[in-house]
Amino acid sequence: MNVNDLIRARTEVFSITDSTSVHDAARYLRDKKIRAVGVQDTSGALVGIVSQSDISEKVAAENKCPAWMRVSEIMSTNLVTVEPETSLDDCLRLMEKHRIFHLLVVEPRAGYRGLVSAKDLLKVIASDHKDRADLLESYIFAQH
């Protein structure tokens, strides 16, 4: 299974611009029920990622005003990206190596395609393990 298998059915690519206020970004994350979002510049180029953790650690914990700050001031710019063909195992390795919870999906011609989260990967892995356990159980306890 690869990244494309995870994102194929998604109908929306969540993103905000780097000039978005932190306040509006926090509301966007809340309204969309997501924990992170890709940040694009005015030309549509992917320039960063901002998460609930960024807002909490760089704004709220520092007692700064989110209405006056722009996402460009707090976003992470050391981007770790994957392509749609990247395997889920490789995604896990990248998340572990970089100690992150989200990977940005970028296609060479199409650009930014969305995010893959640790939660997305966990769901797939848990489902796969359950399927394997069910299969083993059916062999072990087969009715003869």
Side-chain angles (χ1 to χ4, degrees), residues 39-131:
V39 180
Q40 296 176 296
D41 65 14
T42 54
S43 69
L46 185 65
V47 293
I49 182 172
V50 69
S51 68
Q52 289 176 333
S53 297
D54 292 323
I55 294 169
S56 173
E57 294 171 13
K58 299 173 184 174
V59 181
E62 299 297 322
N63 199 27
K64 295 181 179 177
C65 182
W68 296 341
M69 296 182 73
R70 300 288 155 226
V71 168
S72 59
E73 298 175 64
I74 66 163
M75 68 185 182
S76 299
T77 56
N78 294 331
L79 306 180
V80 181
T81 64
V82 293
E83 293 185 5
E85 297 78 28
T86 305
S87 74
L88 299 188
D89 288 337
D90 287 343
C91 289
L92 280 173
R93 280 190 275 281
L94 281 170
M95 286 180 178
E96 183 178 28
K97 176 182 176 184
H98 296 282
R99 306 181 118 203
I100 57 176
F101 296 101
H102 300 90
L103 295 169
L104 296 149
V105 182
V106 179
E107 196 166 11
R109 283 179 238 151
Y112 175 58
R113 297 269 317 272
L115 290 172
V116 172
S117 70
K119 184 178 177 181
D120 294 330
L121 298 177
L122 184 59
K123 283 181 186 177
V124 171
I125 292 166
S127 175
D128 184 47
H129 284 295
K130 183 182 179 332
D131 290 346

Side-chain angles (χ1 to χ4, degrees), residues 11-16 24-37 52 119:
T11 57
E12 186 174 359
V13 175
F14 299 112
S15 69
I16 57 177
D24 288 341
R27 290 177 54 174
Y28 183 85
L29 292 172
R30 182 197 63 200
D31 293 348
K32 298 296 185 179
K33 296 180 173 87
I34 56 176
R35 299 184 58 78
V37 65
Q52 289 176 333
K119 184 178 177 181

